[in-house]
Amino acid sequence: MAVTSLSRTATTSLRRDPAAPWRHIDLALAGAVLAVASLGVLMIYSATRRRLLDDGLDPNLFLQRQVAWVVVGVAVMLAVTIVDYRIIREGTPLLYGAMMLTLLGVLSPLGAETRGTQAWFQIGPFQAQPAEFSKVIVIITLAAYAAQHRGDLDGRRLAMAMALAAAPMGLIFLQPDLGTMLVFVAIIMGVLLVAGAQLRHIMLLTLLGITGVVGVFQLDMVEDYQRERLTAFLDQEADLQRSTYNLDQSKTAIGAGGLTGAGLFEGTQTNLSYVPEQETDFIFTVVGEELGFIGASTLLLLYAIVMWRVWRAAQLARDLFGTLLCTGVLSMLVFQVFENVGMTMGIMPITGIPLPLMSYGGSSTLATFAAVGLVLNVHMRRFS
Amino acid sequence: MTPDSPRFRLGLVGVVVLSLFAALFARLWFLQVMASPEYKLAAERNQVRLVRDPAPRGRILDRHGRVLVENRMSAVVTVNRNRVPADQRASVLRRLAAALGTSVPALEERLADKRLNPFTPVPVGQDVPEEVVVYIRENQDRFPGVEAQFVAVRHYPHGALGAHLLGYVGEINDVELKARTSEGYRLGDRIGKSGVEQTYEGDLRGVPGIEKLEVDVSGRVLRVLSRRAAVPGNEVRLSADLDIQFLAEESLRQGLESARTRKFRDDETFFQAPAGSVVVLDVKEGSVVAMASSPTYEPAAFVNGFTSAEYAALTDPANHAPLTNRAIQGEYAPGSTFKLATAVAALRSGVISPGTTIQDNGVFRVSDCRGAKCSFRNAGSIRYGRVDVARALTVSSDVFFYTLGERFWERRGDLGHEMQETAEELGMGIQTGIPLAGERSGVLGTPDLVRQLHEENPVAFPFGDWFTGHNVNLAIGQGVLAITPIQLATAYATLATGGVRYAWNVAADVRTPEGRVVRALEPRVADQVDLPPAVRDPIVRGLMGATTAERGTAVWAFRDFPHDRYPVAGKTGTAQVTARQDTALFAAFAPTDDPRYVVAVVMEQAGFGSSAAAPVARRILGALSGLEEPTPVEVVPGGSG
């Protein structure tokens, strides 16, 4: 009886333990993220089915793959959640080293090149993009370094933090992948600001960043072939007509959606392939055209919920490391959403940045789920 | 919370995030709610391609239903300059040059045509062999921006015959397009530019067919959304007679050629006779039977378009502007043909009666005037003796009409500008109302007009005063006076009808391609002029004398004419033009007892009306009488105007 009683008490205490991590999973965040990912799957299907059909291929090809990535992504998110984020912190040097190795590897002959950018490992039918994962690892690294110094970031430590981020950025610059570099900048700014960097340092950094970018292009610091790659990627004037065409078609798709949209699978801009790279960078146009203002603003609202929950997790975090982890993820997601959606609507320049959890692609999907996993991790362990 | 605490700074981040999302929502609202209608249109335009199938243009027939203008199919290759990808341009042009059997520089030259809108496809090959069309179509992916198709183009079975009357068709220009967009005209459409083609554009054009196609981004046709077949244009049956038109043009050409073999007054230079016009009217129907203008042009030349230089040559005054339809656009001093108006004015106003005679001693002196400039002479100072109005018209006595001119001036207080007003009533110096664009009105000089011209342009008109001499000169058709050939014909037609002045029709009816008459064109009367027998008869008698009586001015031209069975009333005119050789004119109607036809002939720098113009009219009237086989026109020795 006593044993029974004791065991029942133990069980009860286990159930009732207010500090137990699993009791504090942020269901709102998880739910919003899953909702976005599901909508993404549907939109990718809509963006690709007609074209695949026209080409005599299986219309479900992209659908099936993205569903698989989302399933794997959720698993990765849960896996990241299970290990206490403070233990993950211990592995920072290991993660950082692995990241540098893969980034180097992708530039070596092991990496694959498409359209002038060497950014992938070809693994069977899949392409792995290390830069996507490096964003998450840099968040962890910066958060760990800043937390270690308890937010007391003088000039020297700031320089050290910068150096930690600059190393992978340099390798990504060589791919080149300007979009991801910009995401890095957003992460650095967000984490260091919240970590306590002095405002004059932040301003100095901003200035340095601008002169750096200009200098790289003005002072012939890149090889000719790299310059060509870069300018092909960067310089909209070189192919101005084409990029304004893309932008026009993108805005046309969104604008044509109107208040209620053309209906799922009914968008003509989408079905007739007027918008380029629609299942990846321009996936928002499918939402805009087929689901209208109601659908598109719902998606933005879901993102807003995600941001709110991540921001809230940063506020509630038990320690500075947790706060900075969440801040890094917030900076990454906000920048990607704003740049990507803004680009399709013509208020931001066109750069190749995926829309988190919407754009087709394994690396981006897995990396984003992993990042959200970190936030869930911080949130659920705020009492333990 | 201190400004340096992470929480405070996180708050800042939150504000930034909020504002970024606010910006996205605002932009989304703008695109999807406020600006949505435009984008919906753009998406629609993207997806739907309208392919227009121009309707076969209606044929133009002569009064007996014989074809004057029809259509034929022509294979055309065009290049849409802004659809040729820049990186493929060189290779596309190389392939195209090989296919068309031309060179890349030649293609480049055509593509550089500045007259064409950059979005207009440039025709680079016309009437190309069918296999070239097939080749380009089958290899369309290697010819981006190149289109090969069959289009219906105008075909003129009789070449240049009736070119000015028929007009030509060309690609619609910006001005026409602006005015006619609501009528369904689009860039690249063809439209009647002059003559009947222009006047009856609305009938001839038909309704273009439209195919609504759904296309993807690469222009691949996915399905046909709707299709509306083209409705062929209606046919226009003209009042013109193919045979008489041919006769008129041939006679005019022969007349001009013959005139060039003769020498001018000084007997040193040949007449240039570069240009002229013939008008044949049907005064029973109020319509144009033939209308010739020389030099002429090939309307077929407009089918394939031509270079700026070629077009300039067609309008260059040095080439006598072949595009000009002199019948309605040429303005000439009428010379003695104007005496008709003077005679009518004098008889109607009582300045003279049919029996009034005037002594013609070859010279007329203005009363109360001293000096050489006060004398006006007959051509060659010939004396005709005592003449009445009929005889004066027969022999073309200048002295008789000089006298009338002076009398009108003396009685200007109660008669005003009687000569000018009568001329206008008869149809001179006023547009006839013929439905052809560009008709000129001519000029009828009055003291007021002369003063006005002088004030507006003192260089071209150095004198602004009007003296007796002006009236004297005007009475014989000289001075500030210009009429078109159709006006000349109209004046004599009004006399022929006994006062009915027509606004001439050029078409008889409009009919469907199956021949059902849609609309018949009834004669249009512009004015009813008071011409009582007491006025008309002596004049007609005088004009008949011109072709038959002794010393009649056109007797030589009308020698051996079947006058008894087909009497002709006519008047010659020889107009002096500053710094030019004389203009030869002749106007006539026949048969005089029941007038049917009016013929007017005007020949620039061709000499006497009696020797150059009258023979042309005689050949035409001889054939119209049905009594004569046309023989080559031959310039005859001439007397006075």
Side-chain angles (χ1 to χ4, degrees):
Chain A
M1 186 67 192
V3 170
T4 317
S5 166
L6 180 70
S7 85
R8 201 175 66 215
T9 310
T11 315
T12 311
S13 81
L14 186 66
R15 262 190 208 148
R16 298 261 165 96
D17 176 7
W22 61 268
R23 293 184 63 92
H24 300 286
I25 283 189
D26 188 347
L27 290 176
L29 176 58
V33 161
L34 279 178
V36 172
S38 309
L39 185 63
V41 165
L42 189 61
M43 291 297 101
I44 286 165
Y45 179 51
S46 181
T48 55
R49 54 182 277 282
R50 176 74 179 261
R51 205 177 60 220
L52 291 169
L53 274 175
D54 285 350
D55 291 345
L57 297 170
D58 177 6
N60 299 324
L61 189 69
F62 281 68
L63 172 73
Q64 288 163 351
R65 286 191 179 185
Q66 185 66 12
V67 166
W69 291 126
V70 171
V71 170
V72 176
V74 170
V76 166
M77 180 172 74
L78 291 177
V80 170
T81 312
I82 286 166
V83 191
D84 190 319
Y85 68 96
R86 282 154 292 204
I87 295 172
I88 295 178
R89 181 182 179 176
E90 303 302 316
T92 304
L94 200 65
L95 287 170
Y96 191 83
M99 169 187 76
M100 292 304 287
L101 276 179
T102 47
L103 285 176
L104 279 169
V106 88
L107 290 173
S108 76
L110 292 171
E113 185 196 309
T114 35
R115 278 186 289 177
T117 300
Q118 186 148 358
W120 290 276
F121 287 119
Q122 191 75 37
I123 306 165
F126 302 111
Q127 294 172 334
Q129 204 177 343
E132 289 295 327
F133 298 101
S134 70
K135 293 188 288 198
V136 182
I137 292 168
V138 164
I139 290 172
I140 297 172
T141 309
L142 284 178
Y145 181 78
Q148 187 185 335
H149 300 286
R150 306 215 156 267
D152 181 16
L153 293 177
D154 56 16
R156 196 180 55 81
R157 287 176 183 158
L158 195 67
M160 182 60 199
M162 294 299 301
L164 283 172
M169 271 176 86
L171 294 177
I172 289 166
F173 170 77
L174 294 176
Q175 289 182 0
D177 180 353
L178 183 79
T180 304
M181 282 180 68
L182 292 174
V183 178
F184 270 69
V185 172
I187 291 169
I188 294 168
M189 301 292 275
V191 171
L192 294 185
L193 177 73
V194 174
Q198 293 167 34
L199 285 178
R200 59 190 173 92
H201 283 156
I202 299 265
M203 281 155 85
L204 189 69
L205 279 181
T206 314
L207 211 66
L208 272 176
I210 294 170
T211 36
V213 170
V214 174
V216 159
F217 288 97
Q218 293 299 317
L219 300 175
D220 265 351
M221 285 171 67
V222 285
E223 303 275 347
D224 273 354
Y225 76 95
Q226 282 176 331
R227 170 185 289 277
E228 269 168 39
R229 282 182 186 178
L230 276 168
T231 48
F233 195 101
L234 275 177
D235 190 6
Q236 303 204 351
E237 273 172 46
D239 208 351
L240 188 65
Q241 209 181 346
R242 189 166 169 76
S243 55
T244 53
Y245 170 84
N246 289 351
L247 182 58
D248 282 346
Q249 297 297 355
S250 168
K251 277 156 63 183
T252 300
I254 294 171
L259 193 64
T260 54
L264 191 60
F265 308 143
E266 299 296 326
T268 57
Q269 291 283 105
T270 300
N271 282 333
L272 306 178
S273 310
Y274 279 98
V275 185
E277 304 180 32
Q278 211 182 3
E279 72 278 10
T280 55
D281 291 349
F282 284 87
I283 189 74
F284 187 73
T285 60
V286 188
V287 186
E289 188 182 24
E290 303 199 336
L291 306 182
F293 180 74
I294 292 172
S297 55
T298 303
L299 174 62
L300 288 185
L301 212 60
L302 285 172
Y303 275 124
I305 291 172
V306 171
M307 303 314 165
W308 168 50
R309 298 310 291 190
V310 175
W311 180 82
R312 186 173 167 274
Q315 289 279 28
L316 299 177
R318 189 184 178 85
D319 51 24
L320 184 58
F321 177 59
T323 297
L324 295 180
L325 268 187
C326 295
T327 304
V329 173
L330 179 67
S331 306
M332 175 184 87
L333 292 179
V334 165
F335 181 78
Q336 288 193 212
V337 169
F338 183 72
E339 160 59 31
N340 180 287
V341 175
M343 154 186 101
T344 61
M345 296 196 295
I347 56 173
M348 290 295 282
I350 294 183
T351 44
I353 291 181
L355 186 58
L357 302 174
M358 288 291 294
S359 291
Y360 174 80
S363 302
S364 159
T365 305
L366 296 191
T368 310
F369 270 116
V372 173
L374 284 177
V375 176
L376 288 174
N377 197 335
V378 171
H379 184 270
M380 66 200 269
R381 291 191 172 80
R382 66 186 189 273
F383 299 118
S384 53
Chain B
M1 237 196 299
T2 65
D4 270 344
S5 81
R7 297 244 142 83
F8 176 80
R9 293 191 170 204
L10 211 46
L12 284 182
V13 171
V15 170
V16 171
V17 173
L18 266 180
S19 30
L20 292 180
F21 268 79
L24 290 183
F25 271 106
R27 179 66 176 171
L28 194 64
W29 174 263
F30 171 77
L31 283 181
Q32 295 203 291
V33 180
M34 297 177 65
S36 183
E38 291 165 41
Y39 287 114
K40 281 190 167 136
L41 268 181
E44 169 91 356
R45 272 200 303 274
N46 251 348
Q47 158 209 5
V48 175
R49 197 126 307 163
L50 293 178
V51 176
R52 285 156 56 84
D53 174 24
R57 199 173 170 85
R59 300 184 302 171
I60 301 175
L61 314 171
D62 91 331
R63 76 160 56 202
H64 303 296
R66 290 173 293 190
V67 174
L68 297 174
V69 186
E70 60 188 351
N71 302 312
R72 68 178 169 82
M73 297 309 283
S74 167
V76 177
V77 175
T78 57
V79 174
N80 200 336
R81 286 173 285 190
N82 64 338
R83 292 229 176 124
V84 182
D87 53 338
Q88 294 178 43
R89 190 187 151 91
S91 56
V92 168
L93 290 190
R94 211 165 43 239
R95 279 182 219 124
L96 191 56
L100 295 175
T102 177
S103 68
V104 173
L107 283 180
E108 290 281 12
E109 194 180 333
R110 295 216 65 165
L111 292 179
D113 195 334
K114 293 263 189 326
R115 289 175 307 157
L116 291 171
N117 181 307
F119 302 101
T120 308
V122 184
V124 293
Q126 257 110 3
D127 287 329
V128 301
E130 197 180 330
E131 57 264 26
V132 174
V133 175
V134 173
Y135 172 72
I136 290 174
R137 283 188 180 172
E138 282 180 350
N139 297 281
Q140 192 65 63
D141 52 328
R142 302 178 65 218
F143 290 99
V146 178
E147 216 173 328
Q149 56 197 343
F150 290 95
V151 295
V153 297
R154 279 312 216 191
H155 176 58
Y156 303 89
H158 306 287
L161 188 78
H164 294 95
L165 175 64
L166 298 170
Y168 60 92
V169 172
E171 193 164 303
I172 193 162
N173 63 34
D174 292 346
V175 179
E176 292 160 337
L177 189 60
K178 229 177 196 166
R180 288 173 173 266
T181 303
S182 62
E183 293 168 48
Y185 283 84
R186 295 291 178 269
L187 209 64
D189 280 3
R190 301 187 81 77
I191 186 169
K193 296 275 187 180
S194 72
V196 169
E197 294 273 24
Q198 183 183 20
T199 305
Y200 293 95
E201 169 69 20
D203 294 297
L204 293 166
R205 180 182 182 232
V207 185
I210 289 186
E211 232 179 15
K212 236 180 166 180
L213 304 172
E214 189 184 68
V215 294
D216 70 4
V217 67
S218 57
R220 203 158 38 144
V221 176
L222 302 177
R223 64 196 165 110
V224 178
L225 297 171
S226 68
R227 180 179 278 148
R228 189 185 75 196
V231 181
N234 283 330
E235 304 191 331
V236 173
R237 185 171 69 91
L238 299 185
S239 54
D241 182 305
L242 173 60
D243 296 328
I244 301 174
Q245 179 70 31
F246 180 81
L247 180 73
E249 290 189 21
E250 186 185 55
S251 305
L252 176 62
R253 190 175 57 247
Q254 290 177 2
L256 289 170
E257 279 167 9
S258 177
R260 280 179 218 129
T261 64
R262 291 192 61 244
K263 285 183 174 172
F264 194 35
R265 271 182 291 219
D266 54 14
D267 272 2
E268 280 177 12
T269 50
F270 285 96
F271 281 108
Q272 296 182 9
S277 175
V278 170
V279 174
V280 181
L281 302 175
D282 185 323
V283 298
K284 289 197 180 296
E285 290 180 359
S287 63
V288 174
V289 179
M291 178 180 275
S293 179
S294 177
T296 188
Y297 65 95
E298 291 282 345
F302 286 84
V303 166
N304 293 342
F306 36 42
T307 64
S308 307
E310 286 169 325
Y311 186 80
L314 284 177
T315 50
D316 189 352
N319 297 335
H320 304 282
L323 279 188
T324 303
N325 183 359
R326 287 179 159 70
I328 60 169
Q329 296 177 313
E331 290 176 306
Y332 304 95
S336 296
T337 58
F338 189 77
K339 288 171 181 167
L340 165 66
T342 309
V344 171
L347 287 167
R348 281 203 315 195
S349 62
V351 168
I352 55 166
S353 69
T356 304
T357 59
I358 290 169
Q359 180 65 34
D360 179 354
N361 290 326
V363 182
F364 168 80
R365 272 181 227 290
V366 180
S367 329
D368 307 328
C369 177
R370 304 276 177 278
K373 282 186 176 176
C374 296
S375 295
F376 293 82
R377 290 172 178 277
N378 280 342
S381 298
I382 299 164
R383 297 153 183 252
Y384 296 107
R386 190 150 280 280
V387 293
D388 62 4
V389 65
R391 183 66 187 159
L393 286 168
T394 295
V395 300
S396 204
S397 158
D398 286 342
V399 170
F400 183 90
F401 288 95
Y402 286 147
T403 310
L404 296 189
E406 187 186 50
R407 289 188 187 174
F408 276 115
W409 184 244
E410 285 162 356
R411 292 183 58 187
R412 64 186 179 278
D414 60 301
L415 293 178
H417 310 306
E418 187 67 18
M419 283 189 298
Q420 291 94 325
E421 278 158 24
T422 304
E424 187 170 305
E425 271 190 73
L426 293 170
M428 292 193 260
I430 182 177
Q431 290 185 346
T432 63
I434 189 171
L436 295 176
E439 185 188 6
R440 304 294 291 265
S441 59
V443 181
L444 282 176
T446 59
D448 289 344
L449 179 68
V450 167
R451 193 181 321 110
Q452 189 191 333
L453 289 173
H454 170 68
E455 281 165 7
E456 283 170 6
N457 191 347
V459 177
F461 300 93
F463 306 106
D465 298 319
W466 184 282
F467 300 111
T468 317
H470 287 86
N471 245 39
V472 169
N473 245 331
L474 190 80
I476 64 150
Q478 292 286 158
V480 183
L481 196 54
I483 63 170
T484 62
I486 187 111
Q487 287 173 8
L488 174 61
T490 303
Y492 284 83
T494 306
L495 176 71
T497 58
V500 178
R501 194 178 95 219
Y502 286 107
W504 305 102
N505 283 340
V506 295
D509 56 41
V510 176
R511 34 182 75 192
T512 65
E514 295 76 36
R516 187 172 54 82
V517 173
V518 178
R519 166 167 119 244
L521 292 131
E522 302 300 330
R524 295 174 299 143
V525 175
D527 198 4
Q528 186 73 47
V529 184
D530 184 31
L531 284 180
V535 173
R536 183 180 182 267
D537 292 351
I539 294 175
V540 173
R541 196 155 20 90
L543 297 182
M544 287 173 70
T547 61
T548 54
E550 178 229 350
R551 295 179 88 173
T553 53
V555 163
W556 220 97
F558 281 82
R559 67 194 183 281
D560 305 327
F561 193 83
H563 292 291
D564 47 338
R565 291 158 69 190
Y566 202 76
V568 174
K571 183 74 198 80
T572 54
T574 306
Q576 286 154 30
V577 186
T578 312
R580 289 276 167 90
Q581 297 163 324
D582 295 346
T583 307
L585 304 96
F586 187 76
F589 64 87
T592 50
D593 44 350
D594 182 20
R596 168 88 194 268
Y597 293 111
V598 169
V599 176
V601 178
V602 178
M603 294 158 69
E604 294 176 24
Q605 306 194 60
F608 292 116
S610 55
S611 60
V616 173
R618 181 242 158 94
R619 183 168 187 267
I620 296 167
L621 284 163
L624 289 176
S625 73
L627 302 170
E628 281 195 343
E629 283 299 314
T631 53
V633 174
E634 176 190 351
V635 167
V636 294
S640 68

